[in-house]
Amino acid sequence: MSNDRLLARRDLEFMLYEWLKVDQLAARERFHAYDRDMFDSVLDLAEHLGTEVFAPINRLLDENEPRMGLDGRVIQPPELLTALRAFGESGLIASTFDEEIGGAQLPYAVRSACMTYLAAGSLATYAYPFLSEANAHLLVTHGTPGQIATFAIPILEGRWFGTMCLSEQQAGSSLGDITTIAVPQEDGTHRVFGSKMWISGGDHELADNIVHLVLARTPGAPVGPRGLSLFIVPRHLPDGSGEPGERNDVTLVGLNHKMGYRGTTNTLLAFGDGAHTPGAQAGAVGFLVGEVGSGLPIMFDMMNEARIGVGAGAVAVGYTGYLHSLAYARERPQGRPMNLKDASAPQVPIIDHPDVRRMLLAQKAYVEGGLALVLFCALLVDEQLTASTDDAAAEATLLLGLLTPIAKSWPSRWCLTANDLAIQVHGGYGYTRDFPVEQFYRDNRLNMIHEGTHGIQAVDLIGRKILRSSDGLRSLWTRMERSIAAATAVGGAPARHAAALAHHIAEVKAALEDTREVEALLANATSGLEAIGHVVVAWLWLEQECVARSGTGAFYEGKRSAAEYFFAHELPIVTPLLDTLRRRDRLFLDLDPNSL
Amino acid sequence: MSNDRLLARRDLEFMLYEWLKVDQLAARERFHAYDRDMFDSVLDLAEHLGTEVFAPINRLLDENEPRMGLDGRVIQPPELLTALRAFGESGLIASTFDEEIGGAQLPYAVRSACMTYLAAGSLATYAYPFLSEANAHLLVTHGTPGQIATFAIPILEGRWFGTMCLSEQQAGSSLGDITTIAVPQEDGTHRVFGSKMWISGGDHELADNIVHLVLARTPGAPVGPRGLSLFIVPRHLPDGSGEPGERNDVTLVGLNHKMGYRGTTNTLLAFGDGAHTPGAQAGAVGFLVGEVGSGLPIMFDMMNEARIGVGAGAVAVGYTGYLHSLAYARERPQGRPMNLKDASAPQVPIIDHPDVRRMLLAQKAYVEGGLALVLFCALLVDEQLTASTDDAAAEATLLLGLLTPIAKSWPSRWCLTANDLAIQVHGGYGYTRDFPVEQFYRDNRLNMIHEGTHGIQAVDLIGRKILRSSDGLRSLWTRMERSIAAATAVGGAPARHAAALAHHIAEVKAALEDTREVEALLANATSGLEAIGHVVVAWLWLEQECVARSGTGAFYEGKRSAAEYFFAHELPIVTPLLDTLRRRDRLFLDLDPNSL
């Protein structure tokens, strides 16, 4: 449909206005300054930045990964700094924040659509502001007014960046094993000692300062996650006027060399090793956020935002890969229709071959399904903030909690598959670095790993979000039943798909409602995550199909075809995926690891 | 089980001796010089080369991809030449050839097991001899005695390498569109003019000469595939004593820069552009192989060997990735059992977590299933050569033809998934270049593309190998029914799996036996390929399970667990995969491409 290879603007507008009716949000107090034209202007700005500023440097960053100079500073292409300054000046980073702290109170749904342009343009460039925004959001929610003014505002003004520092060598997925310590000082600050690894954006020369949010243990704190507290540890301590002053004792120890996502520095940091403050009092200066011992739940506010952001990034990279392979398939002549025997007939564009169409439709189903998922989650954030009743806000919170592991994991899994198919559509060309799709694949591969691996998301969904309380799932089923009723009333393909969805919902219920043998259930949690993810995305495709049902023209026809693809080729795997959960299969539990 | 991270020797021996009973081949005339000890010695040699010579340079080759010097020559790390010389001196390349031309008449099954070590050690290094061997094999089968002596023998002596030159810019999957021409000369040679691309090993300084096998069109030949003839076009024309003499007019025009598989040069070659023979008679000197117009069927002898070799390479890389992730999972402590609430208890190795076991068992099921497939195909080649009756030899040929697209595509698809899981088991570490699994993934990604894409294999299987004649499939079903009967007699898990296999065979039959609406059937060929591939590998797992059924100890238990995994978690996807074939779904055919 679109010749634009970054994102399909037409689709974004379909999702925002025709399906989610985001323009109606303008009737709410928080968003009173907006109308659809203004939303479109912000989308224009994001599209411009993604297309003209981010996308042009994406390959450059891949080919010139960060390295450490002799002075210990990170060396990166200067074009990255230029792009990030342009983004900083756009004001987009503060767009959703309250007006009283310099924000623009843009709905999250619109903001998320905008950010998809940036991530599609250059995921590794976008990672810096993406983490910084989530960092500022945590500070605004949990910080003191002084902390907000000192640390969050410079981020929202686009001048400073922020990180999240959780992992340590011995504590990756197992955060309770963090050993970094924070020793309280008489002046109310703490001194932080320890090593953190996998810190994205942990050091660079791209901003005036870096605000690290560091999980650490206070002396005498209980073992495990409950002993963790959260600290602001800036790279430079702010001076009297709030400007970056003396260097804090945070040292870049090493840079990771990654398969992709190379423009984002990924660092090993030492806190309080004395390298930057020889002779001074030992330790990196840290400022406690919230209460002692409440570090993990506070950090998870940022983590949950990051998880949905990871999903959104995966969608964006999948989406641009789809459009690149679509353009290639329209342009590349090769072969002839299978039933044409005339070898002298001209070759046809490969989009005419059924198997190429399969690969394109699959990508479309993944990336537009994934986009629907992340935009729906963003709208739930808007609902939390502005729903007309407390009950509606609470329901949005519940649903968002349930959907977060799905919004993180489903796009990371399936939009990666989309990138894989984008390579395949290109054939040998797709395997070369002359085309961008191989980088998309390498960049996107990280998303199943960071901010909680795929398996961690599965345990979060089945263990924490479903087994502990059925409220979230019940709320989801209620919404789905409403969609099913509407689609059934429509008749035709939507009604057929509604029946299929109802069938698979019943399968999920049958697999999960019996809460015996929880251990065996959790042992198959990943299959459950993938099954429920497919059910959720099928629901969102049913929603899109119903909106598109009476539309004329190629765009709406494409929506209907992609929905048909998803229901015919994707959703049926739910049945075998759920089988091991239903049977409480113990293969993974009873296995003798020595037999591997 | 094994601490060896390259391949599990114990498993190779299980496959060769306990399952395929390759030692019994020694009773046949062709293999009379062998016994099991001698097979083991050859395996020792291959294991040594793979472990000590190939594997140590694998990362080096990735980090130093081929580049063109100012003199137009390819620059590669000298360690590659050293490794290839060591391989050349081993004599392995000629191992399966007839004694009368310097071969060792080793069974293909043993040779394939050996070569798996080389491919696991360094796929990109192994590609040179792998293509050269297939090239020599074509020459020995179709060449004149003079061509064999001049071109095949130096390859079999490890001194020269060979290539296959099919693709052109406008003729990738569509070989009938080749435009390279070969003009007959009065002396019986031809002069070749044209460009070839994607030529692996097409130029380098690693051998004394390179024997290109070039598909070209003779003047006045019919359009399409029937107009193609095959030519030997050596880089250097042999002089009077058979040594490489004057440079032939074959020019390296460019090198492709690939996502992985970097140690193998991938080239754009110009034939007859005059760059190497200024002033001389125009054209690259070529020597016709076989009859004019018979180029494609002859080339496909090499292509079919290459396809099974691609599958074997995919298995090898998948296998070593599995063993690397297995070793990591045993060593890496992280987290605690889910039902253990004591946060101060020591962390457990991640192999104790069910989801990590899932990822390991899946890899094991893929790579050992894939290995069984390629070794079984290799044994079919031995059967072709040495079966006691003509009928048995013909049945082996039929079955090998049917299984070739599966042996190419199934490992390329699923052992790539194994590499993906190997990354996932490593978590963030797996995404860094400090661990080899990310390279395995990048290297293996090519295998779904070259020597006929995944979609091409699907059309070959469903269109050519099944719809044109049901003989191959009938032979496969007969063998499977024998296995099912034996497993049913055993009882227990094998009987249960036999019933599942029978069920899915019936589904395949139901989807394919109705030969109406062939166009719609072929439009869903890839789903059919994947479904039948899973059925075939399930059969091979049933076979392995039956051999392992009464074995005691961890090794046999592992076989039984992997079989259980495959039947419980993998085989059931056959049902949804076949659904669109059964329904003759027309989605891909009827789609308006403008709606994408």
Side-chain angles (χ1 to χ4, degrees):
Chain A
M1 190 65 193
S2 166
N3 285 320
D4 183 344
R5 294 185 194 190
L6 200 61
L7 280 182
R9 177 70 176 256
R10 177 69 187 86
D11 189 33
L12 278 178
E13 292 175 355
F14 169 82
M15 300 245 184
L16 289 177
Y17 304 126
E18 295 177 63
W19 173 44
L20 296 175
K21 303 195 187 310
V22 165
D23 40 342
Q24 296 180 2
L25 286 177
R28 297 185 182 179
E29 174 61 23
R30 182 176 177 83
F31 310 122
H32 71 279
Y34 287 97
D35 58 19
R36 175 167 169 171
D37 281 351
M38 292 181 68
F39 292 152
D40 286 342
S41 301
V42 190
L43 285 168
D44 289 343
L45 172 63
E47 182 171 1
H48 166 75
L49 286 169
T51 310
E52 305 297 333
V53 180
F54 277 35
I57 66 169
N58 199 39
R59 175 60 76 174
L60 176 81
L61 297 179
D62 185 64
E63 289 174 344
N64 298 274
E65 70 180 339
R67 58 199 169 84
M68 220 196 293
L70 292 175
D71 59 357
R73 288 172 189 264
V74 176
I75 301 168
Q76 290 179 280
E79 290 85 349
L80 175 59
L81 180 61
T82 307
L84 286 170
R85 283 217 175 120
F87 180 81
E89 285 160 13
S90 75
L92 278 174
I93 195 167
S95 59
T96 59
F97 286 74
D98 291 353
E99 283 174 358
E100 65 182 39
I101 57 165
Q105 295 186 184
L106 186 73
Y108 270 86
V110 179
R111 170 238 172 244
S112 293
C114 289
M115 295 313 183
T116 311
Y117 274 116
L118 286 309
S122 175
L123 187 63
T125 303
Y126 177 56
Y128 297 96
F130 155 59
L131 282 167
S132 302
E133 181 185 350
N135 176 304
H137 196 238
L138 180 151
L139 289 172
V140 167
T141 310
H142 299 283
T144 64
Q147 288 171 342
I148 294 171
T150 307
F151 298 107
I153 298 298
I155 292 176
L156 296 180
E157 290 172 354
R159 297 183 290 116
W160 296 9
F161 285 163
T163 75
M164 56 198 300
C165 300
L166 292 80
S167 300
E168 301 175 3
Q169 198 280 330
Q170 80 295 343
S173 295
S174 178
L175 293 172
D177 288 288
I178 282 172
T179 60
T180 292
I181 61 162
V183 183
Q185 309 293 307
E186 290 192 353
D187 64 358
T189 68
H190 285 70
R191 294 287 175 151
V192 178
F193 302 85
S195 286
K196 292 289 181 179
M197 70 186 300
W198 308 123
I199 310 309
S200 286
D203 203 17
H204 52 70
E205 303 297 322
L206 303 166
D208 299 339
N209 203 358
I210 304 173
V211 180
H212 301 293
L213 289 172
V214 180
L215 273 185
R217 199 172 288 289
T218 46
V223 296
R226 271 183 278 265
L228 298 174
S229 305
L230 184 64
F231 299 89
I232 299 165
V233 184
R235 187 187 195 225
H236 293 272
L237 294 165
D239 64 17
S241 61
E243 292 305 305
E246 75 178 282
R247 192 72 155 78
N248 201 356
D249 194 15
V250 185
T251 309
L252 174 64
V253 177
L255 291 166
N256 285 310
H257 302 286
K258 292 174 287 181
M259 176 162 76
Y261 220 124
R262 290 185 181 162
T264 308
T265 57
N266 188 274
T267 60
L268 179 61
L269 297 178
F271 291 85
D273 73 345
H276 276 290
T277 54
Q281 187 193 351
V285 178
F287 307 95
L288 179 70
V289 182
E291 302 295 318
V292 169
S294 66
L296 202 61
I298 292 177
M299 188 89 255
F300 260 78
D301 266 15
M302 177 171 179
M303 178 61 90
N304 283 327
E305 190 171 335
R307 285 179 173 176
I308 296 175
V310 164
V315 166
V317 177
Y319 210 127
T320 190
Y322 162 55
L323 294 180
H324 277 81
S325 69
L326 177 60
Y328 181 83
R330 292 197 200 290
E331 291 160 10
R332 167 73 176 165
Q334 192 70 188
R336 291 165 189 82
M338 220 148 348
N339 49 11
L340 183 78
K341 298 295 175 202
D342 178 5
S344 67
Q347 299 197 66
V348 298
I350 61 171
I351 199 170
D352 284 2
H353 299 309
D355 195 55
V356 173
R357 293 179 177 193
R358 174 187 66 83
M359 294 190 278
L360 293 170
L361 261 185
Q363 289 181 70
K364 183 178 170 75
Y366 297 146
V367 304
E368 296 181 10
L371 182 62
L373 177 59
V374 298
L375 292 181
F376 181 77
C377 286
L379 189 64
L380 288 176
V381 178
D382 292 318
E383 283 293 308
Q384 284 184 295
L385 289 173
T386 66
S388 53
T389 67
D390 288 351
D391 279 358
E395 196 252 0
T397 300
L398 207 58
L399 206 50
L400 186 63
L402 180 77
L403 291 179
T404 296
I406 297 170
K408 194 274 181 184
S409 65
W410 197 91
S412 298
R413 166 87 174 77
W414 295 104
C415 295
L416 179 67
T417 300
N419 285 145
D420 190 63
L421 291 170
I423 292 174
Q424 195 69 20
V425 168
H426 282 75
Y429 294 99
Y431 193 67
T432 70
R433 305 202 299 281
D434 296 333
F435 287 77
V437 287
E438 67 86 27
Q439 183 186 347
F440 296 153
Y441 182 83
R442 288 185 290 107
D443 287 354
N444 220 349
R445 182 62 187 84
L446 181 59
N447 288 320
M448 280 184 77
I449 298 172
H450 64 167
E451 319 307 1
T453 64
H454 207 62
I456 293 287
Q457 304 303 319
V459 172
D460 180 48
L461 177 70
I462 307 294
R464 188 182 306 258
K465 304 291 173 55
I466 293 181
L467 291 180
R468 281 199 196 165
S469 156
S470 55
D471 293 352
L473 204 53
R474 202 154 42 225
S475 159
L476 181 68
W477 297 150
T478 302
R479 290 201 181 216
M480 286 192 185
E481 281 153 17
R482 224 178 295 152
S483 305
I484 287 169
T488 305
V490 165
R496 184 163 46 82
H497 296 154
L501 180 60
H503 168 73
H504 291 294
I505 290 172
E507 287 182 326
V508 174
K509 288 179 176 172
L512 294 180
E513 68 191 2
D514 171 2
T515 53
R516 282 172 307 174
E517 298 181 58
V518 166
E519 193 186 14
L521 187 63
L522 286 171
N524 293 286
T526 301
S527 295
L529 174 77
E530 300 201 339
I532 297 172
H534 258 43
V535 168
V536 167
V537 174
W539 165 51
L540 299 176
W541 267 116
L542 184 64
E543 288 264 301
Q544 291 185 69
E545 184 183 26
C546 284
V547 174
R549 75 182 184 278
S550 51
T552 55
F555 176 81
Y556 295 108
E557 198 183 319
K559 283 289 178 194
R560 295 191 293 264
S561 295
E564 176 62 28
Y565 171 84
F566 198 84
F567 277 90
H569 288 259
E570 296 289 335
L571 188 60
I573 68 165
V574 165
T575 305
L577 279 171
L578 287 170
D579 184 57
T580 53
L581 279 83
R582 188 185 49 75
R583 291 193 288 106
R584 298 293 193 270
D585 189 282
R586 293 189 56 87
L587 178 61
F588 305 138
L589 290 170
D590 296 342
L591 183 78
D592 174 5
N594 292 317
S595 72
L596 288 169
Chain B
M1 190 65 194
S2 165
N3 285 320
D4 183 346
R5 294 184 194 190
L6 200 61
L7 281 181
R9 177 70 176 258
R10 177 70 187 85
D11 188 33
L12 279 179
E13 292 175 355
F14 169 83
M15 300 244 185
L16 290 177
Y17 304 127
E18 295 177 64
W19 174 44
L20 297 175
K21 303 194 186 312
V22 165
D23 40 342
Q24 295 179 4
L25 287 177
R28 298 185 181 179
E29 175 60 23
R30 182 176 178 83
F31 310 121
H32 71 279
Y34 288 97
D35 58 18
R36 174 166 171 172
D37 281 352
M38 292 181 68
F39 291 153
D40 286 341
S41 300
V42 191
L43 284 169
D44 289 344
L45 173 62
E47 181 171 3
H48 165 76
L49 285 168
T51 310
E52 306 296 333
V53 180
F54 277 36
I57 67 168
N58 200 39
R59 175 60 75 174
L60 176 81
L61 296 179
D62 185 64
E63 290 174 344
N64 298 275
E65 70 180 338
R67 58 201 169 84
M68 220 195 294
L70 291 175
D71 59 357
R73 285 171 190 265
V74 176
I75 300 167
Q76 291 180 280
E79 290 84 349
L80 174 59
L81 179 61
T82 308
L84 286 170
R85 284 217 175 120
F87 181 80
E89 284 159 14
S90 75
L92 278 174
I93 195 166
S95 59
T96 59
F97 285 74
D98 291 352
E99 283 173 359
E100 65 182 39
I101 56 164
Q105 295 186 184
L106 186 72
Y108 270 86
V110 179
R111 170 242 172 243
S112 294
C114 288
M115 294 314 181
T116 312
Y117 273 116
L118 285 309
S122 175
L123 187 62
T125 303
Y126 177 57
Y128 297 96
F130 154 59
L131 282 168
S132 303
E133 180 185 351
N135 176 304
H137 196 239
L138 180 151
L139 289 173
V140 166
T141 310
H142 299 283
T144 64
Q147 287 172 342
I148 294 171
T150 308
F151 298 107
I153 298 298
I155 291 175
L156 295 180
E157 290 172 353
R159 297 183 290 116
W160 296 8
F161 285 162
T163 74
M164 54 199 299
C165 299
L166 291 79
S167 300
E168 300 175 4
Q169 197 279 332
Q170 80 295 346
S173 295
S174 178
L175 293 172
D177 288 287
I178 282 173
T179 61
T180 292
I181 62 162
V183 183
Q185 309 292 309
E186 291 191 353
D187 65 358
T189 67
H190 285 69
R191 294 286 174 151
V192 178
F193 301 85
S195 285
K196 293 287 181 179
M197 70 186 300
W198 307 124
I199 311 308
S200 287
D203 203 17
H204 52 71
E205 303 297 323
L206 302 166
D208 299 338
N209 203 359
I210 304 173
V211 179
H212 302 293
L213 290 172
V214 180
L215 272 186
R217 196 173 291 287
T218 46
V223 296
R226 270 182 278 264
L228 298 174
S229 304
L230 184 64
F231 300 89
I232 299 166
V233 185
R235 187 187 195 224
H236 293 271
L237 294 165
D239 64 18
S241 61
E243 291 305 304
E246 75 180 281
R247 193 71 153 80
N248 202 357
D249 194 15
V250 185
T251 309
L252 173 64
V253 177
L255 291 167
N256 285 310
H257 301 287
K258 294 174 286 181
M259 176 161 76
Y261 221 125
R262 291 185 181 162
T264 308
T265 56
N266 187 273
T267 61
L268 178 62
L269 297 179
F271 292 84
D273 73 345
H276 276 289
T277 53
Q281 188 194 348
V285 178
F287 308 96
L288 178 69
V289 182
E291 302 296 318
V292 168
S294 65
L296 202 62
I298 294 179
M299 188 90 254
F300 260 79
D301 266 14
M302 178 172 179
M303 179 59 93
N304 284 325
E305 189 171 335
R307 284 180 173 176
I308 296 175
V310 165
V315 166
V317 177
Y319 211 126
T320 190
Y322 163 55
L323 295 179
H324 277 81
S325 70
L326 178 60
Y328 181 83
R330 291 196 201 290
E331 291 160 9
R332 167 72 177 167
Q334 191 72 188
R336 292 167 188 81
M338 220 148 347
N339 51 10
L340 183 76
K341 299 293 174 200
D342 179 6
S344 67
Q347 299 198 67
V348 298
I350 61 171
I351 200 171
D352 284 2
H353 299 308
D355 194 56
V356 173
R357 294 178 176 192
R358 174 186 67 82
M359 295 190 278
L360 293 170
L361 260 185
Q363 288 180 71
K364 183 178 170 76
Y366 297 146
V367 304
E368 296 181 11
L371 183 62
L373 176 60
V374 297
L375 292 181
F376 181 76
C377 286
L379 190 63
L380 288 176
V381 179
D382 291 319
E383 283 292 308
Q384 285 184 295
L385 290 174
T386 67
S388 52
T389 67
D390 288 351
D391 280 359
E395 195 253 359
T397 300
L398 208 58
L399 206 50
L400 187 62
L402 180 76
L403 290 179
T404 296
I406 296 169
K408 194 275 182 183
S409 65
W410 196 91
S412 297
R413 166 85 174 78
W414 296 104
C415 295
L416 179 67
T417 300
N419 285 146
D420 189 63
L421 291 170
I423 292 175
Q424 196 68 21
V425 168
H426 282 75
Y429 293 100
Y431 193 68
T432 70
R433 304 201 300 279
D434 296 333
F435 286 76
V437 287
E438 67 87 28
Q439 183 186 347
F440 296 152
Y441 182 83
R442 287 185 291 107
D443 287 354
N444 220 348
R445 181 63 186 83
L446 181 59
N447 288 321
M448 281 184 77
I449 298 171
H450 64 167
E451 319 308 0
T453 63
H454 206 61
I456 292 288
Q457 303 304 319
V459 171
D460 181 48
L461 178 69
I462 307 294
R464 187 182 308 257
K465 304 291 174 56
I466 292 181
L467 291 181
R468 281 199 197 165
S469 156
S470 55
D471 294 351
L473 204 53
R474 201 154 42 225
S475 159
L476 181 68
W477 297 150
T478 303
R479 291 201 181 214
M480 286 192 185
E481 280 154 17
R482 224 178 295 151
S483 304
I484 288 169
T488 306
V490 165
R496 183 162 46 82
H497 296 155
L501 179 60
H503 168 73
H504 291 294
I505 291 172
E507 286 182 326
V508 174
K509 288 179 176 172
L512 295 180
E513 67 191 4
D514 171 3
T515 52
R516 282 172 307 173
E517 297 181 60
V518 166
E519 192 186 16
L521 188 62
L522 287 171
N524 293 286
T526 301
S527 294
L529 174 78
E530 299 200 339
I532 296 172
H534 258 43
V535 168
V536 167
V537 174
W539 166 51
L540 299 176
W541 266 115
L542 184 65
E543 288 264 299
Q544 293 186 67
E545 185 183 26
C546 284
V547 174
R549 72 181 187 280
S550 51
T552 54
F555 175 81
Y556 295 108
E557 198 183 318
K559 283 288 178 195
R560 296 190 293 264
S561 295
E564 176 63 27
Y565 170 84
F566 198 85
F567 277 90
H569 288 259
E570 297 289 334
L571 188 60
I573 67 166
V574 165
T575 306
L577 279 172
L578 288 170
D579 183 56
T580 53
L581 280 83
R582 189 184 49 72
R583 290 193 287 106
R584 297 294 192 269
D585 188 281
R586 293 189 55 87
L587 178 61
F588 305 138
L589 291 170
D590 297 341
L591 184 77
D592 173 5
N594 294 316
S595 71
L596 287 169

